[in-house]
Amino acid sequence: MKSKSDWRKLAAGRRKSMRDTERTEASALIAQRLFSLDTWKQASEIYMYCGYKDEVRTGEILKRALMEGKRVAVPRVLNEKDMVFAEISSEDELDTGMFGIPEPSAEAVGRVTDITPDLIIVPCVGIDTGGNRIGHGRGYYDR
């Protein structure tokens, strides 16, 4: 049986080997599937991440959520252990964060609001054979 670390390496290798066109197509399919779910349709407040590098591209999801009038909060990494979610109302409120990931600007973080998410979209490297999320290994979303 493979360890979580083994699964992480295997999944990360597969993601990195994808061509850019494959990633774009897969991201669009994921977004369309998400938009068809009742959970999406009923959600008014969302926590979500901003994809970067070889992750699922979430720009279309973010744009649609804002266009549909959903309240959206995205994470900002504060240090090696902590992150906070801050509400944004536009992609223009994103800066490049600690790891090169788009994050809410310092100004947006100063406006942390009372969002209680109906839907949370988290990044993952992959899913193991038991259907469990395998993250990047830093534990931000676990905490």
Side-chain angles (χ1 to χ4, degrees), residues 107-120:
E107 180 181 298
V109 171
R111 299 188 318 258
V112 173
T113 60
D114 61 346
I115 285 184
T116 304
D118 304 304
L119 174 65
I120 302 173

Side-chain angles (χ1 to χ4, degrees), residues 77-111:
V77 173
L78 302 176
N79 55 49
E80 289 294 323
K81 291 187 176 190
D82 301 306
M83 71 178 184
V84 295
F85 279 82
E87 184 174 359
I88 61 168
S89 56
S90 165
E91 289 179 280
D92 295 336
E93 294 180 273
L94 298 173
D95 288 337
T96 301
M98 183 183 293
F99 299 108
I101 302 169
E103 299 183 336
S105 65
E107 180 181 298
V109 171
R111 299 188 318 258

